[in-house]
Amino acid sequence: MPDCRLSCERCGTTESRSLQDAGFGELLAEGVVKIPCARCGETTLWKLVLPPRQEPQPRSAKGPRGLLLIDDDPDTLRILQIMLRPEQYRVVTAESANQAVERLQTEDYDVIVSDIRMPGFDGRSLYRFLACFLPEYTSKVVFLTGDHSEKTLRFLRECNCPYSFKPIQLHELEEKIQEIA
Ligand SMILES: [Zn+2]
């Protein structure tokens, strides 16, 4: 398990803490975990501290951007693979966040475009996983979602990632991708 940067919601103490599997699962799912706080002297709620957003670097590499596209809806994956031109994007798809994590362990990508609502390990969990294990990728995520719920809108404000709503608006989505790479 990685050391996660956490902040006690009660006293504001920030620490790197190593979590047990169960605690890490809770943190990924909820963005918060209940663990003891030495300063508060009891178990409190700790929030994952998200890494600061890195300014996008000017794109130096020539050729298509490596783009990891994550959506549990195969139609969305297929449509985007057709719409995103191969001269500009080398698209690799994943039908789940778990599959995306496997892909990220074997290959580098310039941009990650991810759905938010997915069964199991969702886009929010994926983002928190990246914050703990692959923080350099947190500045490379664009969310693509049809979910306008308050929970999702709050998450988008907190993570400060570029996003675009479904139905897919290709021009807007490409602008968000190009903000990153
Ligand atoms: Zn505390």
Side-chain angles (χ1 to χ4, degrees), residues 120-162:
F121 198 30
D122 67 8
R124 285 176 284 260
S125 305
L126 173 67
Y127 187 81
R128 292 175 191 131
F129 179 92
L130 295 176
C132 294
F133 283 97
L134 298 164
E136 66 277 15
Y137 272 110
T138 54
S139 300
K140 296 185 175 181
V141 178
V142 177
F143 284 109
L144 176 63
T145 181
D147 180 13
H148 294 252
S149 69
E150 185 47 44
K151 185 180 173 190
T152 288
L153 296 179
R154 189 173 348 108
F155 169 75
L156 288 170
R157 279 194 299 273
E158 280 176 14
C159 74
N160 204 18
C161 289

mmCIF file of all heavy atoms in Angstrom, residues 120-162:
data_model
loop_
_atom_site.group_PDB
_atom_site.id
_atom_site.type_symbol
_atom_site.label_atom_id
_atom_site.label_comp_id
_atom_site.label_asym_id
_atom_site.label_seq_id
_atom_site.Cartn_x
_atom_site.Cartn_y
_atom_site.Cartn_z
ATOM 1 N N GLY A 120 -18.652 -0.523 -9.863
ATOM 2 C CA GLY A 120 -17.463 -0.854 -9.062
ATOM 3 C C GLY A 120 -16.562 0.349 -8.893
ATOM 4 O O GLY A 120 -16.950 1.388 -8.385
ATOM 5 N N PHE A 121 -15.355 0.186 -9.394
ATOM 6 C CA PHE A 121 -14.301 1.174 -9.301
ATOM 7 C C PHE A 121 -14.635 2.292 -10.315
ATOM 8 O O PHE A 121 -14.486 2.104 -11.513
ATOM 9 C CB PHE A 121 -13.031 0.400 -9.678
ATOM 10 C CG PHE A 121 -11.720 0.994 -9.304
ATOM 11 C CD1 PHE A 121 -11.560 1.794 -8.204
ATOM 12 C CD2 PHE A 121 -10.602 0.691 -10.076
ATOM 13 C CE1 PHE A 121 -10.311 2.313 -7.880
ATOM 14 C CE2 PHE A 121 -9.360 1.190 -9.765
ATOM 15 C CZ PHE A 121 -9.224 2.012 -8.661
ATOM 16 N N ASP A 122 -15.155 3.431 -9.845
ATOM 17 C CA ASP A 122 -15.628 4.445 -10.793
ATOM 18 C C ASP A 122 -14.551 5.491 -11.104
ATOM 19 O O ASP A 122 -13.402 5.356 -10.662
ATOM 20 C CB ASP A 122 -16.935 5.081 -10.291
ATOM 21 C CG ASP A 122 -16.738 5.907 -9.028
ATOM 22 O OD1 ASP A 122 -15.585 6.125 -8.607
ATOM 23 O OD2 ASP A 122 -17.756 6.344 -8.456
ATOM 24 N N GLY A 123 -14.930 6.525 -11.849
ATOM 25 C CA GLY A 123 -13.955 7.544 -12.251
ATOM 26 C C GLY A 123 -13.370 8.302 -11.066
ATOM 27 O O GLY A 123 -12.208 8.690 -11.074
ATOM 28 N N ARG A 124 -14.218 8.510 -10.042
ATOM 29 C CA ARG A 124 -13.711 9.180 -8.833
ATOM 30 C C ARG A 124 -12.657 8.316 -8.145
ATOM 31 O O ARG A 124 -11.609 8.812 -7.724
ATOM 32 C CB ARG A 124 -14.863 9.434 -7.850
ATOM 33 C CG ARG A 124 -15.771 10.563 -8.234
ATOM 34 C CD ARG A 124 -16.927 10.652 -7.259
ATOM 35 N NE ARG A 124 -17.888 9.591 -7.532
ATOM 36 C CZ ARG A 124 -19.013 9.771 -8.206
ATOM 37 N NH1 ARG A 124 -19.355 10.967 -8.609
ATOM 38 N NH2 ARG A 124 -19.817 8.766 -8.448
ATOM 39 N N SER A 125 -12.954 7.020 -8.015
ATOM 40 C CA SER A 125 -12.006 6.096 -7.383
ATOM 41 C C SER A 125 -10.711 6.026 -8.183
ATOM 42 O O SER A 125 -9.619 5.986 -7.610
ATOM 43 C CB SER A 125 -12.592 4.686 -7.281
ATOM 44 O OG SER A 125 -13.822 4.722 -6.613
ATOM 45 N N LEU A 126 -10.854 6.007 -9.497
ATOM 46 C CA LEU A 126 -9.662 5.967 -10.350
ATOM 47 C C LEU A 126 -8.798 7.195 -10.087
ATOM 48 O O LEU A 126 -7.579 7.095 -9.941
ATOM 49 C CB LEU A 126 -10.066 5.914 -11.825
ATOM 50 C CG LEU A 126 -8.894 6.028 -12.812
ATOM 51 C CD1 LEU A 126 -7.980 4.805 -12.719
ATOM 52 C CD2 LEU A 126 -9.384 6.198 -14.245
ATOM 53 N N TYR A 127 -9.443 8.353 -9.994
ATOM 54 C CA TYR A 127 -8.692 9.590 -9.760
ATOM 55 C C TYR A 127 -7.966 9.537 -8.413
ATOM 56 O O TYR A 127 -6.808 9.935 -8.297
ATOM 57 C CB TYR A 127 -9.652 10.787 -9.810
ATOM 58 C CG TYR A 127 -8.919 12.092 -9.752
ATOM 59 C CD1 TYR A 127 -8.334 12.624 -10.886
ATOM 60 C CD2 TYR A 127 -8.783 12.775 -8.547
ATOM 61 C CE1 TYR A 127 -7.623 13.814 -10.832
ATOM 62 C CE2 TYR A 127 -8.079 13.958 -8.482
ATOM 63 C CZ TYR A 127 -7.499 14.476 -9.632
ATOM 64 O OH TYR A 127 -6.799 15.632 -9.566
ATOM 65 N N ARG A 128 -8.633 9.006 -7.396
ATOM 66 C CA ARG A 128 -7.998 8.911 -6.071
ATOM 67 C C ARG A 128 -6.853 7.896 -6.098
ATOM 68 O O ARG A 128 -5.828 8.089 -5.443
ATOM 69 C CB ARG A 128 -9.042 8.507 -5.022
ATOM 70 C CG ARG A 128 -10.059 9.604 -4.809
ATOM 71 C CD ARG A 128 -11.162 9.180 -3.861
ATOM 72 N NE ARG A 128 -12.240 10.158 -3.893
ATOM 73 C CZ ARG A 128 -13.528 9.872 -4.038
ATOM 74 N NH1 ARG A 128 -13.925 8.609 -4.137
ATOM 75 N NH2 ARG A 128 -14.430 10.826 -4.065
ATOM 76 N N PHE A 129 -7.045 6.836 -6.848
ATOM 77 C CA PHE A 129 -5.975 5.846 -7.004
ATOM 78 C C PHE A 129 -4.750 6.513 -7.639
ATOM 79 O O PHE A 129 -3.620 6.334 -7.181
ATOM 80 C CB PHE A 129 -6.481 4.686 -7.892
ATOM 81 C CG PHE A 129 -5.454 3.625 -8.143
ATOM 82 C CD1 PHE A 129 -5.363 2.513 -7.317
ATOM 83 C CD2 PHE A 129 -4.565 3.739 -9.203
ATOM 84 C CE1 PHE A 129 -4.399 1.533 -7.549
ATOM 85 C CE2 PHE A 129 -3.593 2.764 -9.434
ATOM 86 C CZ PHE A 129 -3.518 1.668 -8.604
ATOM 87 N N LEU A 130 -4.993 7.298 -8.675
ATOM 88 C CA LEU A 130 -3.882 8.000 -9.328
ATOM 89 C C LEU A 130 -3.208 8.948 -8.340
ATOM 90 O O LEU A 130 -1.979 9.054 -8.308
ATOM 91 C CB LEU A 130 -4.374 8.793 -10.546
ATOM 92 C CG LEU A 130 -4.947 7.976 -11.715
ATOM 93 C CD1 LEU A 130 -5.488 8.914 -12.789
ATOM 94 C CD2 LEU A 130 -3.889 7.049 -12.312
ATOM 95 N N ALA A 131 -4.002 9.639 -7.524
ATOM 96 C CA ALA A 131 -3.434 10.593 -6.549
ATOM 97 C C ALA A 131 -2.463 9.884 -5.610
ATOM 98 O O ALA A 131 -1.458 10.461 -5.199
ATOM 99 C CB ALA A 131 -4.553 11.267 -5.764
ATOM 100 N N CYS A 132 -2.752 8.628 -5.261
ATOM 101 C CA CYS A 132 -1.888 7.883 -4.339
ATOM 102 C C CYS A 132 -0.718 7.210 -5.053
ATOM 103 O O CYS A 132 0.392 7.203 -4.540
ATOM 104 C CB CYS A 132 -2.695 6.814 -3.598
ATOM 105 S SG CYS A 132 -3.936 7.505 -2.490
ATOM 106 N N PHE A 133 -0.960 6.617 -6.217
ATOM 107 C CA PHE A 133 0.077 5.795 -6.858
ATOM 108 C C PHE A 133 0.791 6.464 -8.019
ATOM 109 O O PHE A 133 1.957 6.195 -8.256
ATOM 110 C CB PHE A 133 -0.537 4.494 -7.412
ATOM 111 C CG PHE A 133 -0.818 3.456 -6.380
ATOM 112 C CD1 PHE A 133 -2.085 3.330 -5.848
ATOM 113 C CD2 PHE A 133 0.172 2.604 -5.946
ATOM 114 C CE1 PHE A 133 -2.356 2.358 -4.897
ATOM 115 C CE2 PHE A 133 -0.085 1.628 -5.003
ATOM 116 C CZ PHE A 133 -1.354 1.513 -4.471
ATOM 117 N N LEU A 134 0.061 7.239 -8.799
ATOM 118 C CA LEU A 134 0.637 7.821 -10.021
ATOM 119 C C LEU A 134 0.257 9.300 -10.091
ATOM 120 O O LEU A 134 -0.458 9.735 -10.998
ATOM 121 C CB LEU A 134 0.081 7.092 -11.265
ATOM 122 C CG LEU A 134 0.381 5.602 -11.418
ATOM 123 C CD1 LEU A 134 -0.542 4.957 -12.450
ATOM 124 C CD2 LEU A 134 1.838 5.395 -11.840
ATOM 125 N N PRO A 135 0.720 10.097 -9.104
ATOM 126 C CA PRO A 135 0.214 11.478 -9.000
ATOM 127 C C PRO A 135 0.471 12.332 -10.238
ATOM 128 O O PRO A 135 -0.274 13.269 -10.505
ATOM 129 C CB PRO A 135 0.934 12.040 -7.765
ATOM 130 C CG PRO A 135 2.056 11.106 -7.477
ATOM 131 C CD PRO A 135 1.669 9.764 -8.023
ATOM 132 N N GLU A 136 1.511 11.970 -11.021
ATOM 133 C CA GLU A 136 1.782 12.772 -12.224
ATOM 134 C C GLU A 136 0.599 12.698 -13.208
ATOM 135 O O GLU A 136 0.404 13.599 -14.018
ATOM 136 C CB GLU A 136 3.095 12.342 -12.899
ATOM 137 C CG GLU A 136 3.116 10.935 -13.489
ATOM 138 C CD GLU A 136 3.412 9.819 -12.466
ATOM 139 O OE1 GLU A 136 3.319 10.073 -11.239
ATOM 140 O OE2 GLU A 136 3.710 8.689 -12.907
ATOM 141 N N TYR A 137 -0.197 11.638 -13.115
ATOM 142 C CA TYR A 137 -1.331 11.499 -14.031
ATOM 143 C C TYR A 137 -2.551 12.323 -13.614
ATOM 144 O O TYR A 137 -3.462 12.522 -14.418
ATOM 145 C CB TYR A 137 -1.758 10.028 -14.157
ATOM 146 C CG TYR A 137 -1.007 9.302 -15.245
ATOM 147 C CD1 TYR A 137 -0.063 8.327 -14.947
ATOM 148 C CD2 TYR A 137 -1.232 9.607 -16.592
ATOM 149 C CE1 TYR A 137 0.651 7.674 -15.941
ATOM 150 C CE2 TYR A 137 -0.530 8.953 -17.596
ATOM 151 C CZ TYR A 137 0.407 7.988 -17.268
ATOM 152 O OH TYR A 137 1.092 7.353 -18.267
ATOM 153 N N THR A 138 -2.593 12.801 -12.381
ATOM 154 C CA THR A 138 -3.805 13.522 -11.967
ATOM 155 C C THR A 138 -3.999 14.809 -12.770
ATOM 156 O O THR A 138 -5.106 15.293 -12.880
ATOM 157 C CB THR A 138 -3.787 13.867 -10.456
ATOM 158 O OG1 THR A 138 -2.588 14.572 -10.158
ATOM 159 C CG2 THR A 138 -3.887 12.618 -9.606
ATOM 160 N N SER A 139 -2.910 15.343 -13.328
ATOM 161 C CA SER A 139 -3.034 16.554 -14.147
ATOM 162 C C SER A 139 -3.296 16.225 -15.608
ATOM 163 O O SER A 139 -3.306 17.109 -16.458
ATOM 164 C CB SER A 139 -1.759 17.397 -14.047
ATOM 165 O OG SER A 139 -1.529 17.774 -12.718
ATOM 166 N N LYS A 140 -3.469 14.929 -15.897
ATOM 167 C CA LYS A 140 -3.655 14.528 -17.298
ATOM 168 C C LYS A 140 -5.043 13.947 -17.548
ATOM 169 O O LYS A 140 -5.281 13.317 -18.562
ATOM 170 C CB LYS A 140 -2.598 13.483 -17.672
ATOM 171 C CG LYS A 140 -1.178 14.038 -17.603
ATOM 172 C CD LYS A 140 -0.174 13.032 -18.088
ATOM 173 C CE LYS A 140 1.213 13.653 -18.113
ATOM 174 N NZ LYS A 140 2.215 12.709 -18.611
ATOM 175 N N VAL A 141 -5.946 14.143 -16.589
ATOM 176 C CA VAL A 141 -7.277 13.537 -16.703
ATOM 177 C C VAL A 141 -8.296 14.544 -17.221
ATOM 178 O O VAL A 141 -8.356 15.676 -16.741
ATOM 179 C CB VAL A 141 -7.752 12.998 -15.331
ATOM 180 C CG1 VAL A 141 -9.158 12.419 -15.442
ATOM 181 C CG2 VAL A 141 -6.784 11.950 -14.787
ATOM 182 N N VAL A 142 -9.084 14.113 -18.190
ATOM 183 C CA VAL A 142 -10.284 14.842 -18.625
ATOM 184 C C VAL A 142 -11.461 13.922 -18.337
ATOM 185 O O VAL A 142 -11.445 12.757 -18.739
ATOM 186 C CB VAL A 142 -10.255 15.132 -20.146
ATOM 187 C CG1 VAL A 142 -11.540 15.823 -20.581
ATOM 188 C CG2 VAL A 142 -9.045 15.967 -20.527
ATOM 189 N N PHE A 143 -12.468 14.420 -17.637
ATOM 190 C CA PHE A 143 -13.644 13.584 -17.388
ATOM 191 C C PHE A 143 -14.696 13.834 -18.463
ATOM 192 O O PHE A 143 -14.898 14.964 -18.910
ATOM 193 C CB PHE A 143 -14.219 13.855 -16.002
ATOM 194 C CG PHE A 143 -13.408 13.215 -14.907
ATOM 195 C CD1 PHE A 143 -12.653 13.981 -14.043
ATOM 196 C CD2 PHE A 143 -13.383 11.829 -14.773
ATOM 197 C CE1 PHE A 143 -11.886 13.385 -13.040
ATOM 198 C CE2 PHE A 143 -12.622 11.221 -13.786
ATOM 199 C CZ PHE A 143 -11.881 12.001 -12.913
ATOM 200 N N LEU A 144 -15.335 12.749 -18.860
ATOM 201 C CA LEU A 144 -16.418 12.796 -19.840
ATOM 202 C C LEU A 144 -17.595 12.085 -19.199
ATOM 203 O O LEU A 144 -17.542 10.877 -18.969
ATOM 204 C CB LEU A 144 -15.977 12.069 -21.125
ATOM 205 C CG LEU A 144 -17.037 11.955 -22.220
ATOM 206 C CD1 LEU A 144 -17.443 13.323 -22.741
ATOM 207 C CD2 LEU A 144 -16.510 11.101 -23.378
ATOM 208 N N THR A 145 -18.630 12.832 -18.862
ATOM 209 C CA THR A 145 -19.707 12.218 -18.082
ATOM 210 C C THR A 145 -21.079 12.732 -18.480
ATOM 211 O O THR A 145 -21.214 13.861 -18.959
ATOM 212 C CB THR A 145 -19.484 12.481 -16.567
ATOM 213 O OG1 THR A 145 -20.525 11.847 -15.828
ATOM 214 C CG2 THR A 145 -19.481 13.970 -16.240
ATOM 215 N N GLY A 146 -22.065 11.886 -18.293
ATOM 216 C CA GLY A 146 -23.451 12.302 -18.492
ATOM 217 C C GLY A 146 -24.112 12.576 -17.154
ATOM 218 O O GLY A 146 -25.314 12.841 -17.081
ATOM 219 N N ASP A 147 -23.332 12.511 -16.100
ATOM 220 C CA ASP A 147 -23.879 12.593 -14.746
ATOM 221 C C ASP A 147 -23.807 14.033 -14.224
ATOM 222 O O ASP A 147 -22.723 14.569 -14.040
ATOM 223 C CB ASP A 147 -23.064 11.647 -13.845
ATOM 224 C CG ASP A 147 -23.554 11.664 -12.408
ATOM 225 O OD1 ASP A 147 -24.643 12.204 -12.158
ATOM 226 O OD2 ASP A 147 -22.835 11.138 -11.548
ATOM 227 N N HIS A 148 -24.960 14.619 -14.001
ATOM 228 C CA HIS A 148 -25.016 15.997 -13.498
ATOM 229 C C HIS A 148 -25.374 16.035 -12.011
ATOM 230 O O HIS A 148 -25.839 17.056 -11.521
ATOM 231 C CB HIS A 148 -26.061 16.806 -14.268
ATOM 232 C CG HIS A 148 -25.718 17.009 -15.712
ATOM 233 N ND1 HIS A 148 -25.319 18.223 -16.216
ATOM 234 C CD2 HIS A 148 -25.695 16.139 -16.758
ATOM 235 C CE1 HIS A 148 -25.081 18.090 -17.530
ATOM 236 N NE2 HIS A 148 -25.304 16.846 -17.861
ATOM 237 N N SER A 149 -25.223 14.929 -11.308
ATOM 238 C CA SER A 149 -25.630 14.907 -9.901
ATOM 239 C C SER A 149 -24.739 15.832 -9.078
ATOM 240 O O SER A 149 -23.598 16.124 -9.455
ATOM 241 C CB SER A 149 -25.549 13.483 -9.342
ATOM 242 O OG SER A 149 -24.196 13.092 -9.250
ATOM 243 N N GLU A 150 -25.275 16.263 -7.939
ATOM 244 C CA GLU A 150 -24.529 17.164 -7.059
ATOM 245 C C GLU A 150 -23.206 16.524 -6.634
ATOM 246 O O GLU A 150 -22.175 17.181 -6.559
ATOM 247 C CB GLU A 150 -25.391 17.533 -5.843
ATOM 248 C CG GLU A 150 -24.761 18.553 -4.917
ATOM 249 C CD GLU A 150 -24.167 19.775 -5.629
ATOM 250 O OE1 GLU A 150 -24.812 20.326 -6.549
ATOM 251 O OE2 GLU A 150 -23.035 20.159 -5.271
ATOM 252 N N LYS A 151 -23.250 15.197 -6.379
ATOM 253 C CA LYS A 151 -22.041 14.483 -5.955
ATOM 254 C C LYS A 151 -20.936 14.588 -7.018
ATOM 255 O O LYS A 151 -19.772 14.845 -6.700
ATOM 256 C CB LYS A 151 -22.410 13.008 -5.718
ATOM 257 C CG LYS A 151 -21.299 12.155 -5.170
ATOM 258 C CD LYS A 151 -21.786 10.721 -4.971
ATOM 259 C CE LYS A 151 -20.626 9.813 -4.582
ATOM 260 N NZ LYS A 151 -21.003 8.394 -4.609
ATOM 261 N N THR A 152 -21.330 14.414 -8.270
ATOM 262 C CA THR A 152 -20.350 14.491 -9.354
ATOM 263 C C THR A 152 -19.867 15.923 -9.566
ATOM 264 O O THR A 152 -18.674 16.168 -9.742
ATOM 265 C CB THR A 152 -20.953 13.893 -10.643
ATOM 266 O OG1 THR A 152 -21.028 12.481 -10.468
ATOM 267 C CG2 THR A 152 -20.118 14.197 -11.873
ATOM 268 N N LEU A 153 -20.784 16.880 -9.509
ATOM 269 C CA LEU A 153 -20.376 18.282 -9.708
ATOM 270 C C LEU A 153 -19.407 18.712 -8.605
ATOM 271 O O LEU A 153 -18.417 19.399 -8.867
ATOM 272 C CB LEU A 153 -21.604 19.203 -9.733
ATOM 273 C CG LEU A 153 -22.574 18.951 -10.897
ATOM 274 C CD1 LEU A 153 -23.769 19.900 -10.807
ATOM 275 C CD2 LEU A 153 -21.896 19.096 -12.250
ATOM 276 N N ARG A 154 -19.669 18.266 -7.379
ATOM 277 C CA ARG A 154 -18.782 18.613 -6.267
ATOM 278 C C ARG A 154 -17.400 17.992 -6.496
ATOM 279 O O ARG A 154 -16.369 18.631 -6.314
ATOM 280 C CB ARG A 154 -19.388 18.118 -4.943
ATOM 281 C CG ARG A 154 -18.638 18.632 -3.730
ATOM 282 C CD ARG A 154 -19.311 18.301 -2.390
ATOM 283 N NE ARG A 154 -20.673 17.809 -2.477
ATOM 284 C CZ ARG A 154 -21.020 16.542 -2.233
ATOM 285 N NH1 ARG A 154 -20.116 15.644 -1.894
ATOM 286 N NH2 ARG A 154 -22.283 16.172 -2.309
ATOM 287 N N PHE A 155 -17.408 16.740 -6.936
ATOM 288 C CA PHE A 155 -16.134 16.072 -7.204
ATOM 289 C C PHE A 155 -15.349 16.822 -8.289
ATOM 290 O O PHE A 155 -14.139 17.035 -8.172
ATOM 291 C CB PHE A 155 -16.374 14.613 -7.627
ATOM 292 C CG PHE A 155 -15.150 13.955 -8.166
ATOM 293 C CD1 PHE A 155 -14.137 13.557 -7.307
ATOM 294 C CD2 PHE A 155 -14.984 13.766 -9.519
ATOM 295 C CE1 PHE A 155 -12.975 12.975 -7.799
ATOM 296 C CE2 PHE A 155 -13.832 13.190 -10.026
ATOM 297 C CZ PHE A 155 -12.829 12.795 -9.160
ATOM 298 N N LEU A 156 -16.035 17.243 -9.343
ATOM 299 C CA LEU A 156 -15.349 17.938 -10.443
ATOM 300 C C LEU A 156 -14.747 19.252 -9.958
ATOM 301 O O LEU A 156 -13.652 19.637 -10.374
ATOM 302 C CB LEU A 156 -16.317 18.182 -11.607
ATOM 303 C CG LEU A 156 -16.695 16.929 -12.406
ATOM 304 C CD1 LEU A 156 -17.837 17.224 -13.365
ATOM 305 C CD2 LEU A 156 -15.495 16.374 -13.166
ATOM 306 N N ARG A 157 -15.447 19.932 -9.049
ATOM 307 C CA ARG A 157 -14.880 21.168 -8.489
ATOM 308 C C ARG A 157 -13.641 20.857 -7.647
ATOM 309 O O ARG A 157 -12.639 21.560 -7.723
ATOM 310 C CB ARG A 157 -15.920 21.875 -7.595
ATOM 311 C CG ARG A 157 -16.927 22.703 -8.373
ATOM 312 C CD ARG A 157 -17.684 23.633 -7.437
ATOM 313 N NE ARG A 157 -18.445 22.939 -6.416
ATOM 314 C CZ ARG A 157 -19.690 22.482 -6.549
ATOM 315 N NH1 ARG A 157 -20.328 22.651 -7.693
ATOM 316 N NH2 ARG A 157 -20.307 21.866 -5.568
ATOM 317 N N GLU A 158 -13.733 19.797 -6.851
ATOM 318 C CA GLU A 158 -12.618 19.469 -5.953
ATOM 319 C C GLU A 158 -11.374 19.042 -6.726
ATOM 320 O O GLU A 158 -10.268 19.447 -6.386
ATOM 321 C CB GLU A 158 -13.011 18.341 -4.991
ATOM 322 C CG GLU A 158 -13.830 18.834 -3.816
ATOM 323 C CD GLU A 158 -14.285 17.696 -2.926
ATOM 324 O OE1 GLU A 158 -13.751 16.571 -3.060
ATOM 325 O OE2 GLU A 158 -15.183 17.936 -2.109
ATOM 326 N N CYS A 159 -11.556 18.195 -7.735
ATOM 327 C CA CYS A 159 -10.368 17.691 -8.434
ATOM 328 C C CYS A 159 -9.860 18.720 -9.440
ATOM 329 O O CYS A 159 -8.708 18.679 -9.831
ATOM 330 C CB CYS A 159 -10.639 16.351 -9.108
ATOM 331 S SG CYS A 159 -11.647 16.464 -10.574
ATOM 332 N N ASN A 160 -10.749 19.646 -9.853
ATOM 333 C CA ASN A 160 -10.324 20.721 -10.727
ATOM 334 C C ASN A 160 -9.831 20.204 -12.086
ATOM 335 O O ASN A 160 -8.978 20.815 -12.717
ATOM 336 C CB ASN A 160 -9.227 21.521 -9.995
ATOM 337 C CG ASN A 160 -9.107 22.926 -10.505
ATOM 338 O OD1 ASN A 160 -10.024 23.431 -11.150
ATOM 339 N ND2 ASN A 160 -7.968 23.554 -10.242
ATOM 340 N N CYS A 161 -10.333 19.064 -12.502
ATOM 341 C CA CYS A 161 -9.959 18.506 -13.809
ATOM 342 C C CYS A 161 -10.856 19.103 -14.888
ATOM 343 O O CYS A 161 -12.027 19.385 -14.631
ATOM 344 C CB CYS A 161 -10.188 16.992 -13.829
ATOM 345 S SG CYS A 161 -9.028 16.083 -12.824
ATOM 346 N N PRO A 162 -10.324 19.255 -16.101
ATOM 347 C CA PRO A 162 -11.215 19.633 -17.201
ATOM 348 C C PRO A 162 -12.267 18.548 -17.422
ATOM 349 O O PRO A 162 -11.992 17.367 -17.172
ATOM 350 C CB PRO A 162 -10.287 19.746 -18.410
ATOM 351 C CG PRO A 162 -8.917 19.381 -17.968
ATOM 352 C CD PRO A 162 -8.947 19.037 -16.515
#
